[in-house]
Amino acid sequence: NDFSQLGEWMPLPPAWRNRTCGKIGAALESTPARRFERSHVRTLSRGIPPSHERAHMGSAPRRAGGGWFTLFTLAWLAIWTVQLTPVQLLLPLQLNTPDDASGWIGGVVSSGVIMAIGGLVAIIAGPVSGALSDRTRSKWGRRRPWALAGVWLMALCLVALASATSVWAVALAWVGVSVGVAVASAAFTALIADQLREQRGAASAAVSSSQALGIIVGVGAVVLLGLGVADAYLVLAGFIAVVGTVATALLDRKSVV
């Protein structure tokens, strides 16, 4: 049987080797909790884990449909828009100090320092939240609680940014946004490995392409609609709250749409 292939790794005489492999196969096949498949050796040789090790992937089909990719791309578009629009436009405008003795330089320095602090915190928050999500066991799955927490942290901190009037308030709110982006990004990125088998490259391309589109959508909407800084933050908060919540609810499932 297939277990005879194990004998290739056993330095035993042929008779002993065949007898030993037969006993190993019979013992493993009779174990209900960890049934050893006949295709075990074949799947390992192809780099594919046996089914009992693929159980965490659920019953997802081999290929995701257009609905899955649409939601996944929209989720990343919302994340990138929320992250890049303040960096490119809103934070510099909010911290602009034309009346200071140093002119506009003070505002540029403040926005640079705040964005740097947010980036440093995000560097820590992303890997930590990703590792914790790997160990999360809940009825909502591993990724959904973290994705939802990141989405709503972004939304709440964007609302706080809309009403922030001091540099310290802006800094604190932006750090919260950065942490939310890192947490949600880690969770949504992990969905590629959790739910896809043959289309991981396409999903990674969706993440990258939505980054380029996100800044165009965000800055373009603010300029074309003539939004003020506070109104723009509130629109971004609503955008990430709606899109992120819907995507989290529909993407983190055992079966893809």
Side-chain angles (χ1 to χ4, degrees):
N1 55 32
D2 291 330
F3 297 104
S4 63
Q5 298 180 37
L6 292 171
E8 298 176 1
W9 306 318
M10 294 183 178
L12 299 172
W16 292 10
R17 188 168 58 194
N18 294 337
R19 187 182 310 164
T20 302
C21 290
K23 290 181 179 181
I24 292 175
L28 291 173
E29 287 184 342
S30 63
T31 305
R34 297 280 293 179
R35 187 170 298 277
F36 196 92
E37 302 176 74
R38 289 185 175 276
S39 61
H40 190 100
V41 176
R42 291 196 302 271
T43 55
L44 285 178
S45 66
R46 298 171 186 168
I48 304 172
S51 62
H52 65 261
E53 294 180 7
R54 296 196 302 266
H56 70 278
M57 296 178 65
S59 57
R62 293 183 65 84
R63 298 186 64 83
W68 193 96
F69 273 97
T70 298
L71 284 173
F72 185 74
T73 304
L74 285 175
W76 276 103
L77 176 63
I79 291 173
W80 288 122
T81 301
V82 161
Q83 182 183 27
L84 297 178
T85 305
V87 169
Q88 295 293 327
L89 182 63
L90 299 181
L91 284 175
L93 287 176
Q94 188 173 19
L95 296 171
N96 189 28
T97 55
D99 298 328
D100 283 358
S102 57
W104 53 270
I105 297 178
V108 172
V109 172
S110 297
S111 60
V113 171
I114 289 173
M115 285 185 277
I117 294 173
L120 291 174
V121 174
I123 289 175
I124 300 172
V128 170
S129 65
L132 291 175
S133 72
D134 288 338
R135 294 163 175 78
T136 298
R137 298 293 181 270
S138 72
K139 63 180 181 180
W140 298 286
R142 293 189 295 174
R143 314 302 179 189
R144 182 181 295 171
W146 293 93
L148 198 60
V151 164
W152 279 97
L153 179 60
M154 282 186 272
L156 293 176
C157 289
L158 286 167
V159 172
L161 273 172
S163 58
T165 55
S166 67
V167 173
W168 289 107
V170 172
L172 184 61
W174 179 248
V175 168
V177 172
S178 300
V179 172
V181 168
V183 172
S185 297
F188 280 112
T189 301
L191 291 180
I192 298 176
D194 286 353
Q195 299 191 16
L196 299 180
R197 303 178 196 175
E198 300 178 347
Q199 299 163 290
R200 294 175 180 177
S204 299
V207 175
S208 300
S209 60
S210 59
Q211 178 183 14
L213 187 59
I215 187 171
I216 298 174
V217 170
V219 174
V222 172
V223 173
L224 293 177
L225 297 177
L227 299 176
V229 172
D231 292 336
Y233 280 131
L234 295 177
V235 170
L236 290 176
F239 183 43
I240 188 64
V242 173
V243 175
T245 301
V246 172
T248 300
L250 296 181
L251 284 177
D252 193 11
R253 304 172 116 183
K254 289 185 177 180
S255 59
V256 294
V257 294

